[in-house]
Amino acid sequence: MNEEKVIIAGFGGQGVMLMGQILSHAATVADLNTTWIPSYGPETRGGTANCAVTIGEERINSPVVSVPDSLIIMNQPSLDKFQKKLKKGGILIANKSQISDAVYRDDIEVYEVDANKQALEIGNLRVANMVMLGAYIAVTGVFSKDDMFAVFEKIFTGRKSELIDLNKKALEAGIRAVGK
Amino acid sequence: MAKVLMKGNEAMALAAIEGGCDAFFGYPITPQNEIPEYLSRHMEERGRVFVQAESEVAAINMVYGAAGAGARVLTSSSSPGIALKQEGISYIAGSELPCVIINVMRGGPGLGGIQPSQADYRQITKGGGNGDYHLLAFAPENLQETVNIIKESFALADYYRNPVMIAVDGLLGQMMEPVDLEAAPKTEVPPEKAWAADGNSDRKGGRNVITSIHLDPLELEKHNRKLQKKYDEMVAKEQRYEMIETADADIVFVAYGSMARIARSAVKTLREEGIKVGMIRPITIWPFPEKAFDELPASVKSLLTLEMSLGQMHEDVRAANNGRFELDFYGRTGGVVPEPEEIIDHVKRMLEKEGSS
Amino acid sequence: MNAKTVYEPTKGLVERDFHYCPGCTHGIIHKLVAEVLVEKGLLEKAVAVASVGCSVFSYEYFNCDAHQAPHGRAPAVATGIKRVRPDSAVFTYQGDGDLASIGTAEIVHAAHRGENITVIFVNNAIYGMTGGQMAPTTLLGQKTSTSPFGRDKTLTGEPLRISEMLATIPGAAYLERVSVHDPKHIRKAKKAIEKAFDVQMNKQGFSMIEFISTCPVNWGMNPMDSIAWAKENMIPYYPLKVFKDKTDGDNDE
Ligand SMILES: Cc1ncc(C[n+]2csc(CCOP(=O)(O)OP(=O)(O)O)c2C)c(N)n1
Ligand code: SF4
Ligand SMILES: [Mg+2]
């Protein structure tokens, strides 16, 4: 595979960091190289949070992602901040539920997902992040649904194992939302 | 063991445990808090010591006591906290005790910020505390290298009876990357510490005293020369570095830690464009890898020092270069992490200038 | 011959002359601590932590393992030792500049954590080693090289009573202030040291014995006068008593 660089951005509390970590976990399981870097400190308090994930077969140099191949955008401020960085022809997955002013570049591929609505239908707004992640893997083909399920089993342990089913459903809803 | 995805700070903490760390003393400071947090959970369950001290000053002195009693000891902090620890570090070096110090650097001076920085270069390599002493100081660039070095560092500290510092920036502390802790060197059993003041004065050699005081100047000079011998040995044996595509390079970067990683991306892109760049990557920042500069071919045109600080390492590059090549510098500071594109642009400006002169 | 040994140097001290000034009570305090270590069979497992002050070289005298600490930091150094060698007998030996000024954070927090260490606190109301500057413990009106007109509370506050202060800390298990100005008090002081080490070895928490001590040289007095001065001036302000005894049910909070 080619190196994949994705930035995931949204409000603190939308589970943005976890989305990135799940991708890096999946890469680790697949014996690929990967880096995950967070924005941290005051940046993450109340305001926007973002993380950058790189996945590749070869050694990863800069973990800092200046020109992402893909963007997962959870809200309006993040769209405003990151859209301009996306590479030409890059993929943008946007959470339509949190974007009021959707003006997209015309040299990129945009997929809108009503992630909040989907999550609520499944029964928990908090899995909107997994809906978005489902859409992302479906569009990019970076990982399969089963790859992600395997990660869920790995990281949701103990009391959190109750969350596995919910997250699986959310992921599948995201995959369906982009018609895959 | 397969690779596991870990956060830098946690991987460092685990590496310390695997490296045989008996005791940790520290004080909270961002961006290294996951180190004490992790150890507070995992030291006690292994019957080892974890203490959150009342200050960095107290923490380093607890390290001093525990190291003097013969334990393998770790402390960790970030830039302003390391500044507070300098007194104790000087005492530890003066008393010839081993310990490992992790410094997850952030921007300064003063309270500065909490974002990644390399602005402790001088504080780490040029003393910091008083007196004729040095720290063996490593500046790894990724998590695997970091955990390997941390595991090894306890043995190095024991061998030299000197503090070892692991200097990473907040980026390495906060990022996640797969690491294989078993790939790291096997941990040696600590050597017999016959010098330790551990409350066993009926030992064969009699009672032990740990001290750094020598009021007679001639005696202190003798002691300092003994220390210097160790530092000379470190200079001879411990210079570590990586030469990256330097054989045919016109421009050679000098960068360490996260900055080196970012610069690698620039090397790759520039090479793809046919611009011949390479890099010296110091892995030890003390001793500074002067040997690397001797390996450079005469065809090199210039060196470009890259830092997340404003020319602190550049002073050592200038000394190591000794007038041989043209020198240039590019750095960001205050917690700003540069993007590879900035380095690429800088190189292009260098080439334009060269072309026009 | 049929002579009876009435005095014998303790093997808790290295056989050498003290560097302390004539009449300085540091020497008596050293001897008491050393005797207790020997009598309790603790000498071999003891680690003395020397501080910075006139007693900086106390490690030259205590005949056990020793560790010299930076100014004020002895309780932190002792914490490090005791935590990794919990069966050892660890004590610090600190002056009032060291403990009550630069080292207040370390002493408070060693007590706060209830560290199983013993602190020998030698209060002579002055910075002896550096030539007689004012300490936080200097009495009101007392002349020192940095309070040449006598300590003035409007400028420098009133003398700090450390034992009283530490008594408020739950982790402090045994705190007593003693004096060595006459044989009766010396015997009492020795008992206090014994108690403190018992508390430590029974892992009951932090123990400190504060000594009213002298500094004839920097007080500008001969040894006899300095003893009298300590008795007449220091003890009224720094009363001799047990401030905390958690081994005694009544005082346990
Ligand atoms: C960091 C530091 N600051 C200052 C000193 C200088 N100094 C040495 S001893 C001392 C005062 C000691 O007084 P005290 O603790 O009362 O002991 P005494 O000599 O009276 O027994 C000072 C300030 C030092 N050694 N280190
Ligand atoms: S200066 Fe004072 S405290 Fe120090 S040894 Fe002399 S008399 Fe004792
Ligand atoms: Mg004093």
Side-chain angles (χ1 to χ4, degrees):
Chain A
M1 72 180 280
N2 285 331
E3 199 173 76
E4 163 74 2
K5 294 182 289 221
V6 53
I7 288 179
I8 307 170
F11 290 125
Q14 279 184 310
V16 161
M17 299 298 178
L18 182 64
M19 293 164 77
Q21 289 174 0
I22 286 174
L23 290 175
S24 277
H25 271 294
T28 306
V29 171
D31 207 22
L32 294 166
N33 288 315
T34 184
T35 59
W36 172 93
I37 61 166
S39 57
Y40 64 85
E43 270 189 72
T44 57
R45 268 179 227 131
T48 61
N50 70 79
C51 63
V53 173
T54 306
I55 296 164
E57 274 166 13
E58 286 174 27
R59 112 182 258 145
I60 295 167
N61 293 330
S62 172
V64 178
V65 173
S66 36
V67 185
D69 302 303
S70 312
L71 283 177
I72 307 177
I73 295 296
M74 299 293 288
N75 65 5
Q76 184 76 47
S78 301
L79 180 68
D80 301 341
K81 186 169 172 190
F82 290 103
Q83 180 172 209
K84 54 184 172 290
K85 293 191 158 203
L86 187 60
K87 80 164 185 203
K88 227 191 218 157
I91 290 167
L92 189 155
I93 320 272
N95 179 9
K96 205 165 114 189
S97 329
Q98 293 282 332
I99 292 170
S100 50
D101 181 19
V103 182
Y104 299 112
R105 275 166 49 186
D106 53 16
D107 59 347
I108 58 174
E109 255 181 76
V110 180
Y111 297 84
E112 289 191 312
V113 180
D114 216 339
N116 287 25
K117 189 166 150 255
Q118 300 261 2
L120 280 172
E121 275 168 20
I122 295 162
N124 194 332
L125 179 60
R126 299 193 54 176
V127 293
N129 59 346
M130 293 305 150
V131 175
M132 293 292 285
L133 209 53
Y136 167 77
I137 59 158
V139 170
T140 58
V142 174
F143 295 114
S144 71
K145 186 172 88 176
D146 290 338
D147 290 337
M148 305 305 277
F149 282 5
V151 174
F152 291 167
E153 307 276 351
K154 214 174 127 118
I155 63 170
F156 296 123
T157 53
R159 262 200 296 137
K160 284 191 190 153
S161 59
E162 293 167 14
L163 300 172
I164 294 176
D165 271 351
L166 187 66
N167 280 282
K168 283 183 175 176
K169 275 189 202 148
L171 196 85
E172 283 171 331
I175 296 170
R176 279 195 308 272
V178 290
K180 306 272 164 158
Chain B
M1 198 170 98
K3 287 186 175 178
V4 284
L5 183 71
M6 287 191 84
K7 195 169 199 181
N9 284 334
E10 296 191 340
M12 288 190 267
L14 180 56
I17 289 176
E18 302 252 314
C21 172
D22 298 310
F24 173 90
F25 306 94
Y27 187 77
I29 184 169
T30 308
Q32 61 83 56
N33 288 322
E34 294 85 355
I35 297 175
E37 284 165 3
Y38 187 91
L39 291 171
S40 70
R41 268 176 276 135
H42 298 289
M43 288 294 268
E44 222 180 88
E45 71 193 21
R46 289 173 168 81
R48 305 191 198 175
V49 173
F50 169 89
V51 178
Q52 178 173 319
E54 63 271 27
S55 67
E56 286 86 354
V57 175
I60 194 69
N61 282 288
M62 291 174 187
V63 169
Y64 188 26
R72 278 191 159 167
V73 200
L74 173 74
T75 186
S76 67
S77 190
S78 177
S79 311
I82 295 291
L84 262 179
K85 285 184 168 146
Q86 293 295 358
E87 177 196 41
I89 293 172
S90 163
Y91 276 70
I92 294 168
S95 303
E96 295 196 80
L97 297 181
C99 72
V100 177
I101 304 159
I102 297 174
N103 179 2
V104 186
M105 295 183 278
R106 57 188 249 183
L111 207 45
I114 59 170
Q115 299 302 323
S117 164
Q118 298 182 325
D120 286 4
Y121 184 89
R122 279 198 204 100
Q123 148 158 278
I124 295 164
T125 61
K126 315 284 179 195
N130 58 305
D132 282 319
Y133 79 94
H134 290 284
L135 305 179
L136 178 54
F138 292 93
E141 69 163 348
N142 60 44
L143 291 188
Q144 188 65 53
E145 188 175 53
T146 305
V147 301
N148 290 359
I149 286 173
I150 287 176
K151 280 183 77 176
E152 190 189 353
S153 62
F154 288 94
L156 283 167
D158 282 341
Y159 174 76
Y160 287 109
R161 289 182 59 184
N162 199 70
V164 175
M165 184 170 285
I166 316 295
V168 299
D169 56 70
L171 194 61
L172 262 170
Q174 295 295 323
M175 73 185 285
M176 291 178 96
E177 203 168 16
V179 287
D180 182 354
L181 275 140
E182 306 238 304
K186 275 271 159 292
T187 311
E188 292 168 44
V189 183
E192 186 76 38
K193 295 180 177 175
W195 44 263
D198 55 359
N200 283 299
S201 54
D202 50 357
R203 70 175 71 74
K204 219 170 67 208
R207 71 194 193 94
N208 285 334
V209 173
I210 305 293
T211 183
S212 67
I213 192 172
H214 305 273
L215 287 185
D216 174 358
L218 288 175
E219 193 192 306
L220 181 54
E221 185 181 52
K222 196 169 137 212
H223 174 69
N224 287 348
R225 288 202 194 283
K226 180 177 161 221
L227 297 184
Q228 188 59 38
K229 255 203 166 132
K230 297 196 299 191
Y231 302 133
D232 291 344
E233 184 182 342
M234 289 181 204
V235 169
K237 290 196 346 205
E238 305 297 344
Q239 290 186 35
R240 295 192 201 177
Y241 53 91
E242 186 183 355
M243 306 293 282
I244 300 153
E245 304 203 46
T246 49
D248 64 342
D250 292 327
I251 296 175
V252 174
F253 301 162
V254 188
Y256 69 94
S258 289
M259 191 67 210
R261 256 185 115 141
I262 295 162
R264 275 182 195 274
S265 291
V267 170
K268 195 164 167 232
T269 310
L270 286 164
R271 283 269 170 186
E272 280 162 9
E273 295 179 23
I275 300 169
K276 288 193 219 157
V277 292
M279 174 156 67
I280 291 174
R281 179 175 74 89
I283 299 171
T284 50
I285 51 174
W286 204 94
F288 188 69
E290 296 190 339
K291 289 178 185 170
F293 295 76
D294 299 337
E295 288 180 28
L296 289 176
S299 55
V300 169
K301 296 201 176 66
S302 56
L303 306 184
L304 171 61
T305 310
L306 300 166
E307 298 176 23
M308 276 148 59
S309 51
L310 293 181
Q312 299 196 21
M313 180 177 69
H314 197 45
E315 295 164 5
D316 285 341
V317 172
R318 175 168 286 126
N321 181 53
N322 200 13
R324 199 163 157 220
F325 306 116
E326 292 284 316
L327 295 180
D328 203 341
F329 173 79
Y330 182 79
R332 298 298 301 267
T333 180
V336 179
V337 179
E339 297 183 341
E341 289 69 23
E342 298 174 43
I343 301 168
I344 294 166
D345 289 348
H346 187 88
V347 168
K348 291 189 174 160
R349 282 198 301 274
M350 281 170 79
L351 291 171
E352 267 166 36
K353 245 195 272 168
E354 221 173 79
S356 64
S357 63
Chain C
M1 229 169 72
N2 202 5
K4 198 169 129 211
T5 310
V6 289
Y7 177 84
E8 190 172 46
T10 167
K11 75 174 183 52
L13 289 176
V14 175
E15 263 184 72
R16 66 190 308 160
D17 293 335
F18 283 133
H19 69 283
Y20 299 110
C21 309
C24 173
T25 41
H26 265 306
I28 300 175
I29 300 165
H30 277 38
K31 186 158 175 291
L32 292 179
V33 173
E35 284 175 0
V36 170
L37 290 176
V38 173
E39 288 160 19
K40 290 205 163 286
L42 293 176
L43 188 67
E44 283 71 30
K45 50 162 84 173
V47 185
V49 181
S51 63
V52 177
C54 282
S55 58
V56 65
F57 288 121
S58 58
Y59 65 80
E60 300 258 13
Y61 309 123
F62 291 118
N63 198 6
C64 57
D65 281 356
H67 195 131
Q68 205 286 318
H71 198 18
R73 319 299 175 217
V77 172
T79 298
I81 298 167
K82 186 72 181 187
R83 290 289 182 123
V84 299
R85 301 290 177 250
D87 297 328
S88 57
V90 181
F91 69 99
T92 70
Y93 189 104
Q94 303 176 256
D96 47 322
D98 192 86
L99 184 148
S101 187
I102 193 168
T104 44
E106 284 75 11
I107 196 69
V108 164
H109 287 281
H112 157 227
R113 288 187 302 269
E115 290 298 338
N116 276 304
I117 59 169
T118 298
V119 172
I120 304 297
F121 170 33
V122 181
N123 178 1
N124 59 7
I126 206 154
Y127 284 64
M129 187 191 214
T130 40
Q133 294 83 5
M134 193 188 81
T137 42
T138 295
L139 296 182
L140 288 181
Q142 188 183 340
K143 286 186 181 157
T144 70
S145 65
T146 51
S147 60
F149 312 111
R151 181 171 184 175
D152 174 354
K153 74 173 175 190
T154 63
L155 296 174
T156 58
E158 293 181 51
L160 194 58
R161 293 186 182 102
I162 291 288
S163 291
E164 285 85 337
M165 184 175 104
L166 295 187
T168 66
I169 299 175
Y174 192 78
L175 301 169
E176 183 174 352
R177 185 184 288 122
V178 298
S179 174
V180 290
H181 65 269
D182 63 26
K184 185 180 125 213
H185 283 88
I186 291 175
R187 280 194 296 276
K188 196 142 187 259
K190 188 168 167 186
K191 287 248 149 22
I193 302 171
E194 287 169 1
K195 175 85 182 184
F197 277 102
D198 285 345
V199 165
Q200 178 182 170
M201 298 323 284
N202 293 332
K203 303 196 188 320
Q204 286 170 299
F206 177 88
S207 54
M208 183 183 88
I209 308 302
E210 174 176 349
F211 286 80
I212 298 299
S213 189
T214 62
C215 180
V217 167
N218 289 302
W219 290 358
M221 293 173 201
N222 67 40
M224 289 314 290
D225 289 349
S226 70
I227 296 272
W229 192 87
K231 186 177 154 201
E232 283 153 27
N233 296 283
M234 287 184 71
I235 292 174
Y237 189 83
Y238 296 114
L240 307 182
K241 65 183 255 201
V242 176
F243 291 94
K244 187 80 172 279
D245 184 359
K246 276 180 121 182
T247 65
D248 157 8
D250 297 346
N251 215 327
D252 206 28
E253 68 228 87

